[in-house]
């Protein structure tokens, strides 16, 4: 039961009780030199100093909700409401640190089973109250913003108490999980039965099964285990029009696959209460290894070869020269200098780090898969860094966001964005987004750091994931990022998808029409009308209300 998850004002990523990831003195020195950091630290404003409007949930619906869920599970206190005031994007964190422009829900509802979720929707529909489904609250696109959409009130429907493993069918390799279950909990419950889901996004420590399904999430091992939608066998949704269950067989020709309408619906077509997922036997062996490739083009050629020869490692991750430089610098200057010398001696001018990680059932399988991958790389010159570097990447793979906290404290604008396109357009898209970000983030004399990696590869193309580090414009922090983000999205539109795995939410909505067309928007709007005639579900997200 993970009902104890802390939800006070979330100005940082690091869960309470978990180790933070401070920046080392050498990392700070390097950042000062590279982007011109000042000495100022900008800690979050204490939540006791925030001016939060009172709840506007009227007495009658509140009494009905309390009768349904019990008083303890209808929270109107400021701390609980602030804890669900938005997601985890840079803008969300800056808003909460500054205590400005917070959209706070009027109440937090905590149902414990699908029938109660259905009951909540019926009450909210009757009283015209907006409902924001809330999983781990890790959205980075405004997906859990408490937008009222012209309704009488807005509630956060926190699914934290829907946290049970409903069934596990080992013959079919299908587990039915409740939507509010955290990824960490899902992995440990499945491990007890010898299985894994294999879904490891960087938000693993906080995000939920329902959130993954609602956003078409992709984990770090997507090249081997697939994206989350590839794992979904069935979904159960509560909607204002009634309960909707989808998925009865592994494949079907019974019309369009409506599961795909539910997956990625971002809370606007129903509240996902259960997900049937495909599971795999937990690996007995794994091997993570790092290589260096000379230059971005050689690196993407290497990943394309792995994808097109269908021998991708489960984790296949290529960093561009800037990301490689940053990873080395943040890992310590001595190491960085020694490695730099080693690579220069090998004739590598533009090092790009390539991490490959395999999970397997046996030593033989592991050996065969690795050998096949090495064969596919025969035409690309790679320098092997070995297992220690690969294993080190693996052991730090969820700690990046904790360093984000330390960077935010130091007044750094640190944010990510992502897209995907076909192989032939990948490098042009990377250049276009980089140019847009660099131009729009610069505040002083030194250019911001804009780094990029490929972490999800397909036979026909790949994702691009950008991370920026720039001195924060202290006066106009939100506007600084907003400008850069808009320019990057404009550069993406027409060249790639507006989101490969972060979803649309509020932030990407202006660009969705260009991707799915007017007819696509009309189809989504019609589907919404069918299940949510009065538009109470997650107003302002994905499509225009
Ligand atoms: C540091 C960091 C790293 C991240 N790394 C990754 C990554 O590697 N891969 C990746 O794919 N994403 C990543 N994300 C984005 C985010 O974690 C994913 O979008 C994740 O799937 C959201 O899950 P959640 O449970 O937190 O959902 P929430 O943030 O709570 O909700 C996301 C959206 O889904 C809706 N929703 C949530 N639960 C339900 C439900 N049960 N029924 C209907 N709608 C629902 C919400 O209303 C909202 O619109 C990252 C985010 C952060 C902050």
């Amino acid at each position: 039961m993970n009902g104890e998850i802390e939800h006070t004002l979330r100005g940082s990523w690091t869960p309470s009780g978990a180790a933070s990831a401070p920046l080392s003195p050498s990392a700070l020195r390097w950042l000062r030199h590279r982007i011109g950091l000042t000495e100022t630290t900008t800690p979050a404003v204490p939540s006791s100093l925030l001016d939060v409007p009172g709840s506007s949930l009227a007495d009658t619906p509140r009494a009905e909700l309390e009768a349904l869920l019990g008083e303890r599970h209808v929270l109107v206190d400021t701390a609980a409401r602030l804890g669900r005031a938005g997601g985890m994007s840079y803008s969300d964190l800056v808003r909460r640190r500054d205590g400005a422009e917070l959209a706070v829900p009027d109440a937090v509802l905590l149902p414990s089973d699908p029938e109660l979720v259905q009951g909540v929707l019926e009450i909210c529909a009757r009283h015209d109250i907006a409902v924001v489904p809330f999983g781990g609250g890790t959205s980075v696109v405004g997906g859990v913003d408490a937008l009222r959409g012209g309704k009488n009130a807005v509630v956060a429907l926190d699914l934290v108490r829907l946290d049970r493993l409903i069934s596990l069918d080992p013959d079919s390799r299908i587990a039915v999980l409740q939507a509010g279950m955290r990824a960490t909990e899902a992995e440990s419950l499945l491990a007890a039965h010898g299985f894994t889901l294999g879904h490891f996004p960087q938000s693993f420590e906080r995000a939920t099964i329902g959130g993954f399904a609602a956003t078409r999430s992709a984990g770090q091992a997507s090249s081997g285990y697939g994206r989350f939608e590839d794992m979904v066998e069935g979904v159960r949704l509560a909607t204002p029009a009634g309960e909707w269950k989808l998925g009865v067989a592994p494949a079907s020709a019974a019309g369009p696959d409506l599961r795909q309408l539910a997956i990625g619906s971002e809370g606007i077509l129903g509240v996902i209460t259960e997900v049937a997922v495909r599971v795999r036997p937990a690996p007995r062996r794994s091997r993570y290894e790092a290589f260096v490739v000379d230059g971005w083009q050689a690196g993407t050629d290497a990943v394309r070869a792995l994808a097109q020869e269908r021998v991708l490692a489960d984790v296949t991750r290529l960093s561009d020269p800037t990301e490689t430089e940053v990873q080395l610098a943040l890992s310590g200057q001595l190491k960085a200098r020694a490695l730099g010398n080693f690579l220069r001696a090998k004739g590598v001018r533009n090092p790009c780090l390539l991490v490959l990680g395999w999970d397997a059932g046996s030593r033989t399988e592991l050996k065969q898969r690795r050998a096949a991958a090495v064969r596919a790389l025969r035409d690309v010159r790679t320098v092997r860094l070995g297992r220690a570097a690969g294993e080190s990447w693996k052991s730090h793979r969820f700690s990046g966001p904790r360093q984000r906290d330390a960077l935010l404290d130091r007044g750094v604008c640190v944010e990510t964005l992502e897209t995907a396109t076909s192989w032939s357009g990948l490098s042009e898209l990377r250049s276009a987004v980089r140019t847009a970000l660099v131009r729009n983030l610069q505040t002083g004399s030194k250019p911001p750091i804009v780094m990029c990696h490929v972490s999800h590869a397909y036979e026909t193309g790949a994702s691009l994931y950008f991370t920026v580090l720039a001195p924060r414009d202290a006066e106009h922090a939100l506007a600084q990022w907003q400008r850069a983000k808009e320019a990057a999205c404009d550069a993406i539109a027409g060249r790639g998808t507006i989101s490969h795995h972060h979803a649309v939410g509020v932030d990407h909505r202006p660009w969705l029409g260009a991707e799915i067309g007017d007819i696509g928007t009309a189809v989504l709007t019609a589907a919404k009308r069918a299940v949510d005639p009065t538009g109470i579900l997650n107003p302002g997200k994905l499509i225009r209300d």
Side-chain angles (χ1 to χ4, degrees):
M1 169 82 180
N2 53 27
E4 299 308 315
I5 290 247
E6 176 203 33
H7 269 307
T8 50
L9 185 76
R10 299 168 311 143
S12 82
W13 175 261
T14 312
S16 69
S20 63
L23 293 164
S24 67
S26 75
L28 274 174
R29 267 198 306 280
W30 182 82
L31 278 168
R32 256 180 233 126
H33 153 76
R34 189 70 160 67
I35 57 172
L37 275 191
T38 63
E39 296 301 321
T40 11
T41 59
T42 53
V45 172
S47 52
S48 54
L49 297 183
L50 299 180
D51 190 15
V52 180
S55 167
S56 56
L57 182 65
D59 290 344
T60 310
R62 180 170 166 184
E64 287 181 25
L65 289 164
E66 284 176 353
L68 179 75
L69 302 176
E71 248 176 73
R72 287 179 52 219
H73 300 126
V74 178
L75 311 177
V76 289
D77 62 285
T78 306
R81 290 163 53 223
L82 271 176
R84 280 79 170 180
M88 281 281 174
S89 67
Y90 167 73
S91 304
D92 289 327
L93 294 175
V94 167
R95 268 188 218 113
R96 288 202 286 271
R97 281 171 173 246
D98 294 352
E101 299 173 43
L102 290 174
V104 183
D106 292 303
V108 177
L109 309 181
L110 297 163
S112 60
D113 66 45
E115 289 74 24
L116 291 177
V117 175
Q118 189 63 46
V120 165
L121 294 190
E122 280 159 23
I123 294 171
C124 290
R126 214 168 35 250
H127 294 281
D128 208 28
I129 294 169
V131 177
V132 179
F134 194 98
T138 65
S139 171
V140 283
V141 292
V144 287
D145 285 3
L147 303 182
R148 190 173 293 248
K151 304 289 170 198
N152 294 329
V154 53
V155 294
L157 181 56
D158 192 328
L159 296 148
V160 66
R161 296 175 70 223
L162 270 82
D163 63 352
R164 283 182 300 130
L165 168 65
I166 300 294
S167 63
L168 176 66
D169 170 353
D171 293 338
S172 313
R173 294 188 179 170
I174 295 175
V176 179
L177 306 172
Q178 285 191 325
M181 183 182 281
R182 257 63 186 171
T184 43
E185 183 74 1
E187 275 303 324
S188 65
L189 284 172
L190 292 173
H193 297 274
F195 287 102
T196 179
L197 187 53
H199 190 65
F200 304 109
Q202 208 184 29
S203 51
F204 182 73
E205 293 174 295
R206 283 180 182 263
T208 62
I209 298 299
F212 295 146
T215 59
R216 303 184 88 85
S217 168
Q220 292 166 340
S222 74
S223 298
Y225 291 93
R227 294 162 58 87
F228 197 76
E229 71 257 28
D230 303 326
M231 304 172 186
V232 175
E233 291 288 316
V235 249
R236 180 174 176 187
L237 293 116
T239 85
E243 195 175 54
W244 197 14
K245 287 184 182 173
L246 290 162
V248 293
S252 162
D257 186 351
L258 291 178
R259 284 174 307 184
Q260 297 302 329
L261 197 55
I263 305 169
S265 57
E266 300 190 29
I268 72 158
L269 299 180
V271 181
I272 297 167
T273 53
E274 283 175 11
V275 187
V277 285
R278 172 206 77 199
V279 294
R280 297 227 168 115
R284 293 213 172 92
R285 301 270 164 191
S286 85
R287 179 181 176 116
Y288 281 70
E289 205 169 334
F291 301 82
V292 165
V293 183
D294 197 0
W296 172 254
Q297 190 57 50
T300 53
D301 286 348
V303 178
R304 182 163 58 88
L306 292 169
Q308 293 180 342
E309 294 197 24
R310 295 201 256 161
V311 291
L312 280 166
D314 297 311
V315 169
T316 302
R317 184 189 163 102
L318 170 75
S319 297
D320 76 353
T322 312
E323 189 173 278
T324 304
E325 179 199 356
V326 173
Q327 282 174 343
L328 286 177
L330 296 187
S331 71
Q333 267 176 357
L334 279 181
K335 239 196 234 169
R337 213 169 291 149
L339 188 62
N341 292 340
F342 169 71
L343 292 172
R344 261 189 302 281
K346 293 268 179 195
V348 176
R349 299 280 159 245
N350 283 303
C352 289
L353 189 68
L354 174 65
V355 173
L356 301 180
W358 296 270
D359 285 345
S362 66
R363 194 189 293 262
T364 313
E365 185 197 337
L366 194 62
K367 261 185 157 173
Q368 284 170 345
R369 290 188 62 200
R370 182 179 179 277
V374 169
R375 261 196 313 279
L377 295 178
R378 61 193 167 267
D379 295 332
V380 182
R381 198 167 80 84
T382 53
V383 177
R384 209 178 145 243
L385 295 186
R387 291 183 71 172
E391 298 294 343
S392 159
W393 177 85
K394 185 183 182 189
S395 63
H396 291 108
R397 65 176 163 166
F398 302 128
S399 58
R402 295 188 194 171
Q403 276 201 331
R404 190 168 77 148
D405 293 342
L407 288 163
L408 281 166
D409 286 344
R410 291 275 166 179
V412 177
C413 166
V414 47
E415 182 54 309
T416 63
L417 61 87
E418 38 77 65
T419 176
T421 194
S422 48
W423 288 112
S424 54
L426 199 71
S427 290
E428 185 201 313
L429 179 56
R430 172 174 163 268
S431 303
V433 175
R434 269 184 60 83
T435 305
L437 289 171
V438 170
R439 260 195 209 137
N440 287 282
L441 279 172
Q442 187 150 2
T443 48
S445 57
K446 299 198 176 188
I449 297 173
V450 176
M451 46 187 154
C452 179
H453 67 247
V454 166
S455 48
H456 308 275
Y458 309 88
E459 281 177 73
T460 53
S463 65
L464 289 172
Y465 189 95
F466 297 88
T467 306
V468 303
L469 296 175
R472 189 184 311 156
D473 180 335
E475 295 290 300
H476 310 285
L478 289 173
Q480 177 194 19
W481 173 244
Q482 184 73 21
R483 206 174 45 241
K485 170 88 176 176
E486 276 177 22
C489 291
D490 287 344
I492 287 170
R495 290 188 172 103
T497 173
I498 199 60
S499 175
H500 170 265
H501 58 264
H502 281 168
V504 175
V506 173
D507 299 359
H508 291 148
R509 209 181 59 175
W511 291 271
L512 180 68
E515 189 163 329
I516 64 170
D518 291 344
I519 296 180
T521 308
V523 168
L524 279 180
T525 308
K528 181 160 176 69
R529 222 169 276 138
V531 293
D532 180 23
T534 59
I536 57 164
L537 284 173
N538 221 4
K541 320 295 161 49
L542 189 56
I543 52 170
R544 206 171 290 281
D545 302 322

